[in-house]
């Protein structure tokens, strides 16, 4: 079992719809969780972090964490073509940083 | 921000390469990642206050340094074809914070 798993996609949604991206992780002691966006040929860009169970909202983005189910998700409301990118889920397994693990990423395509 | 050089590099199998990174000012933690095409970044190692602070599943021919001036290096010896990838440097203000700022990366091609 991989440490962090994501659907590879591509996930296609029409413009204006809600895009839902999912991530599961294997290590129960994981401490913190992050979503990065990566445009083709570019480096990852941090868009959301979440540390406790529940929802965290930032503009059109909502991160959801369920530690009991070892599941974290990212919702993008009112999706725009500019949201088309690969979304990487990352999990911090401790507070020292060297156990920071990325998932393979989900490619999102928002269709005009 | 975080700057990396060079942006692109072509090397021959068996050669050695040094990649450079300048961290964001005030960030004392730097991590290096390897990202193969279509995959997520894989952790190579992390430096904190000029000491290696953790290492991923990479052989010893991958080595690094961190300098007092917020810069760091990734050295790879005896290059193999599978080393072809995007190499990312990421810095953080606080050890273990996780909210890394990534540089634009160095695209290494080994032929």
């Amino acid at each position: 079992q991989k440490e962090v798993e994501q659907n590879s996609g591509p996930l296609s949604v029409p413009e204006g719809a809600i895009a839902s991206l999912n991530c599961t992780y294997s290590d129960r002691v994981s401490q913190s969780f992050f979503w990065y966006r990566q445009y083709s040929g570019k480096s990852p860009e941090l868009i959301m972090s979440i540390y406790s169970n529940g929802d965290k909202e930032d503009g059109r983005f909502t991160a959801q964490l369920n530690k009991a189910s070892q599941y974290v998700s990212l919702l993008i409301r009112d999706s725009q073509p500019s949201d088309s990118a690969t979304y990487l889920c990352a999990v911090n397994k401790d507070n020292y940083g060297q156990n920071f693990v990325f998932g393979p990423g989900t490619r999102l395509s928002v269709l005009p | 921000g975080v700057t990396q050089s060079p942006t692109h590099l072509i090397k021959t199998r068996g050669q050695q390469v040094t990649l450079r990174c300048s961290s964001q000012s005030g960030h004392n933690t730097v991590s290096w990642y390897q990202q193969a095409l279509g995959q997520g970044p894989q952790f190579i190692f992390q430096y904190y206050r000029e000491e290696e602070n953790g290492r991923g599943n990479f052989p010893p021919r991958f080595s690094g340094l961190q300098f007092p001036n917020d810069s760091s290096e990734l050295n790879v010896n005896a290059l193999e074809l599978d080393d072809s990838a995007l190499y990312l440097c990421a810095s953080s203000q606080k050890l273990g914070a996780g909210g890394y700022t990534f540089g634009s990366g160095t695209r290494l091609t080994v032929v």
Side-chain angles (χ1 to χ4, degrees), chain A residues 2 4 9 20-21 26 33 38-39 43 45 50 57 59 62-63 69 90 94-95 98-99 104:
Chain A
K2 293 185 178 178
V4 180
S20 177
L21 303 160
S26 61
F33 308 85
Q38 187 173 27
Y39 292 112
S43 60
E45 172 194 10
I50 186 165
E57 187 174 318
T62 299
S69 300
D94 58 38
N95 289 324
Q98 61 265 49
N99 280 314

Side-chain angles (χ1 to χ4, degrees), chain A residues 61-109:
Chain A
F61 299 98
T62 299
Q64 299 174 317
L65 175 61
N66 184 326
K67 289 187 177 181
S69 300
Q70 296 173 237
Y71 174 91
V72 58
S73 67
L74 179 70
L75 300 177
I76 306 175
R77 290 182 300 281
D78 188 23
S79 295
Q80 302 296 309
S82 58
D83 295 325
S84 298
T86 296
Y87 289 81
L88 298 162
C89 172
V91 174
N92 205 9
K93 294 169 61 178
D94 58 38
N95 289 324
Y96 301 100
Q98 61 265 49
N99 280 314
F100 194 74
V101 181
F102 281 88
T106 297
R107 190 154 57 92
L108 172 67
S109 179

Side-chain angles (χ1 to χ4, degrees), chain B residues 53-64:
Chain B
N53 187 51
R55 188 176 187 91
N57 190 26
F58 280 81
R61 58 189 185 85
F62 286 78
S63 63

Side-chain angles (χ1 to χ4, degrees), chain A residues 8 32 34 36 38 41-46 49 51 86 88 90 92 94-105, chain B residues 29 31 33 35 38-43 46 53-56 86 88 95-105 107:
Chain A
S8 60
S32 48
F34 304 84
Y36 284 80
Q38 187 173 27
K42 302 295 185 183
S43 60
E45 172 194 10
L46 178 66
S49 59
Y51 303 92
T86 296
L88 298 162
N92 205 9
D94 58 38
N95 289 324
Y96 301 100
Q98 61 265 49
N99 280 314
F100 194 74
V101 181
F102 281 88
Chain B
T29 302
S31 298
Y33 289 83
Q35 187 175 25
Q39 297 182 21
Q42 300 295 311
F43 176 69
Q46 181 186 78
N53 187 51
R55 188 176 187 91
L86 179 67
L88 295 162
L95 184 65
Y100 293 111
T101 301
F102 281 85
S104 54
R107 172 72 63 185

